[in-house]
Amino acid sequence: MTLLPYLVAGWIFLIGVYGLVTSRNLIHTVGCLSVTQSSTYVLLLAIGYRDGGTAPVYAALPKDARVVDPVVQALTLTDIVVGATVTALLLALVTQLHKRHGTVDPDELLALKG
């Protein structure tokens, strides 16, 4: 077991959070949120990885074959689909904000204050 994938996941997460904190553009913010979420892909794959493991297709494997965890792979695929959906939804909302208010700067969107 190596720590490299976990460090890479943490580094990607920190880069995304830094972008979220420093962003002054909502499109950039959505991109940074997507980068932050991509760290979970690396983390999930690192958790499910096994040295010498093969794909979990049991029809062609002997019973004592070492395979990677299929549940974690399914969770990663679900995470990717949910991430793409959330990113598309947020970009659509940013587009509507730009059409109505003419800006994507969160500081200039004072009309949203109640």
Side-chain angles (χ1 to χ4, degrees):
M1 180 177 155
T2 178
L3 287 177
L4 183 62
Y6 300 101
L7 293 175
V8 169
W11 181 74
I12 293 172
F13 180 81
L14 290 176
I15 293 294
V17 168
Y18 176 76
L20 282 172
V21 170
T22 60
S23 177
R24 293 288 120 219
N25 184 322
L26 289 177
I27 294 175
H28 183 259
T29 303
V30 171
C32 291
L33 184 66
S34 180
V35 168
T36 303
Q37 186 180 10
S38 68
S39 69
T40 61
Y41 311 153
V42 177
L43 182 65
L44 286 171
L45 291 175
I47 290 171
Y49 178 76
R50 292 186 183 162
D51 285 335
T54 61
V57 180
Y58 294 105
L61 292 175
K63 291 187 177 196
D64 59 343
R66 189 174 174 96
V67 296
V68 296
D69 190 359
V71 174
V72 177
Q73 290 181 354
L75 286 173
T76 304
L77 288 174
T78 303
D79 192 16
I80 290 170
V81 170
V82 169
T85 305
V86 168
T87 300
L89 177 66
L90 290 175
L91 287 175
L93 289 173
V94 169
T95 302
Q96 290 300 316
L97 273 174
H98 185 264
K99 283 182 182 177
R100 290 179 188 225
H101 300 283
T103 183
V104 290
D105 187 353
D107 292 334
E108 293 180 10
L109 293 171
L110 296 176
L112 294 178
K113 285 188 175 179

